[in-house]
Amino acid sequence: MENEVKNEMSFLDHLEELRWHLIRATLAVLIIGCVAFAMSGFIFDSIIFAPSRMNFPTYEFFCRIATYFGMTSDFCAEELPFTIQSRTMAGQFSADIWTSIWAGFILSFPYVLYEAWKFISPGLYEKERKSSKGFIVIASFLFFLGVLFGYYVVAPFSINFLGTYSVSDVVKNEFDLSSYISTLRASVIACGIIFELPIIIYFLTKIGLVTPEILKKYRKISLVVVLILSAVITPPDVASQVVVAIPVLFLYQISIYISGSVLRKEAKKEKRRKNA
């Protein structure tokens, strides 16, 4: 019945409904963004600038590994050889505003997904809605897992590599505040989106655009694409790219299994229909 009502809606009605879903999602981002703005001191000192200090958990972890094997490592330095500065009048205020908005988006991601799902789900059949019940929970979990991976693994590698890289002792690393934040943000958001790969494959399989055979056939091409993506969101050193590529390839293998599982379920349903 719900499907019929949805189908009877005009194009303008659909646009109006989409507009309200977008308004509610945007309000959620802005409200949480305002809370983040009120807590900007904590966010910048304890979260944003934490990877620029050598007591960051990731640096300590890799320093212990290097020490255990008797190797020297940049992760064991007393401090990173760079400073962060703001060179424009509105630089710090602008950084505070945009950081709050991005924090609002990250923290409200489950609700943004919920609004997207509320718009899409009425157009699905009852069985399809039931089979996709855990969509918001799983997609949110993967996104936050990617965000944590980006923050604790990719971002420290990027900041450590770029912060210690030098062409000459004559040149000092004095990074602009916006440049530092954009490096951190790119690592976190990109990983969050990349970790949604199994969800994307699930829906592409449901609509018939992807099969396990296709995923297996283009595995080598996918590996190249993964390495390119890794190069985009990490500094140009092999270690960082491998660090990103490993979980993405693991997610790709999981996606193959998910795609096969979806097709098997569809085949069983089709068999039941024929036998009924």
Side-chain angles (χ1 to χ4, degrees), residues 199-214:
I199 298 292
I200 295 169
I201 294 298
Y202 172 83
F203 283 104
L204 289 178
T205 303
K206 289 287 284 185
I207 62 177
L209 290 178
V210 167
T211 64
E213 289 71 28
I214 290 174

Side-chain angles (χ1 to χ4, degrees), residues 7-26:
N7 291 333
E8 288 171 5
M9 291 173 64
S10 68
F11 177 70
L12 290 177
D13 289 334
H14 280 290
L15 283 181
E16 178 66 13
E17 188 175 349
L18 175 61
R19 185 171 76 92
W20 281 107
H21 285 299
L22 290 174
I23 288 172
R24 285 192 291 268
T26 303

